[in-house]
Amino acid sequence: MLKCIAIDDEPLALRQIAAYISKIPYLELVATFNNAIEAQAYLAGQSVDLIFVDINMPDLTGVDFVRSLTNRPMVIFTTAYSEYAIEGFKLDAVDYLLKPFGFADFSRSAAKAHALYELRQNQRTTAAPKEEAEAVPKDKEYISVKADYKVSLVRIADIVYLESEGEYVRMHLADGSTITTLFRLKNMETALPADIFMRVHRSYIVNLRAIKAYVKGRIFLNDTEYVPIGENYKEAFQNYIDQHFRNL
């Protein structure tokens, strides 16, 4: 059970999040706040596993609030303003929900947090010393990654994109499944072939052959799933598009 709090200066949005949390059996809502300053005071004496927090709030923004936390729980940002997404991802947020969002999107974000929580719990209970899992190319077709107490061989072509989750990397595969491993994204970037994979954001690497479409600031991997393009990566991505595709 993940203990969580919700912070939003809009009463209706706060009630909606509380209602969504009540429908998810592994979430326990322990407190709600209509401003980040009160939440700050609460967390000074209490610990939680997950925070749902709006970004654009008066007095103290959600981003500044999260930056202020010494022992930072998992965070899912919620906001009506997509331009704040980059700031949220810079803080290694589990996810970013763009208002208005429905229960399906909320549930997916909660599931990501739950999976990360369980993985961390498993890592703490194992007797083996903490070490980063190796991603070793195998015949330029597979990589091997340590996850769930075993070594998985993953076909490189089946990796759609990789997502950093702090000390972990979540691999999103073509069949819709994911593998989360103790790894740093920059090391995964080194292990994967550069002609197929590109770092497009501080927290994301995409399989260039899996790209379906792109618009300003976003790369679509199917009709609904996309990853953001970071400011520092836009030029390199645009150069790749210009070199490999003809604009009609």
Side-chain angles (χ1 to χ4, degrees), residues 61-230:
T61 69
V63 169
D64 289 337
F65 161 73
V66 172
R67 285 198 185 111
S68 74
L69 300 178
T70 304
N71 297 314
R72 190 180 300 170
M74 293 181 293
V75 175
I76 294 176
F77 282 111
T78 66
T79 185
Y81 303 95
S82 60
E83 59 266 30
Y84 292 113
I86 300 301
E87 290 301 316
F89 284 116
K90 283 181 180 178
L91 292 170
D92 290 326
V94 173
D95 209 354
Y96 176 96
L97 287 167
L98 185 61
K99 297 177 181 178
F101 50 85
F103 179 69
D105 288 334
F106 184 89
S107 180
R108 279 192 290 270
S109 292
K112 289 175 67 175
H114 188 232
L116 183 57
Y117 173 81
E118 289 193 326
L119 180 65
R120 288 174 175 174
Q121 292 298 108
N122 289 338
Q123 291 287 347
R124 291 190 185 105
T125 56
T126 182
K130 183 177 180 180
E131 60 180 16
E132 190 167 280
E134 294 183 357
V136 182
K138 181 178 183 295
D139 299 327
K140 297 184 179 180
E141 186 178 357
Y142 289 85
I143 59 171
S144 62
V145 294
K146 297 174 183 176
D148 298 327
Y149 306 105
K150 64 180 181 293
V151 177
S152 297
L153 297 180
V154 181
R155 189 167 177 261
I156 290 175
D158 290 339
I159 302 172
V160 179
Y161 70 98
L162 300 101
E163 177 182 10
S164 174
E165 295 183 343
E167 298 176 318
Y168 300 86
V169 168
R170 183 184 296 272
M171 306 173 68
H172 296 257
L173 306 181
D175 62 1
S177 64
T178 63
I179 296 176
T180 302
T181 182
L182 181 64
F183 210 78
R184 298 188 186 278
L185 198 64
K186 64 180 180 180
N187 293 340
M188 187 70 77
E189 182 181 11
T190 302
L192 292 170
D195 60 327
I196 300 176
F197 291 87
M198 178 180 286
R199 183 83 168 264
V200 297
H201 187 277
R202 181 174 179 269
S203 300
Y204 291 94
I205 294 172
V206 298
N207 183 335
L208 295 167
R209 298 174 185 176
I211 295 174
K212 303 302 181 187
Y214 69 95
V215 294
K216 184 179 179 181
R218 296 180 181 182
I219 296 171
F220 283 84
L221 302 162
N222 54 47
D223 290 340
T224 59
E225 194 168 16
Y226 68 86
V227 300
I229 305 174

Side-chain angles (χ1 to χ4, degrees), residues 17-35:
I17 291 172
Y20 286 165
I21 290 174
S22 69
K23 296 179 181 180
I24 298 177
Y26 51 78
L27 296 183
E28 178 188 359
L29 182 63
V30 295
T32 61
F33 303 93
N34 57 24
N35 68 77

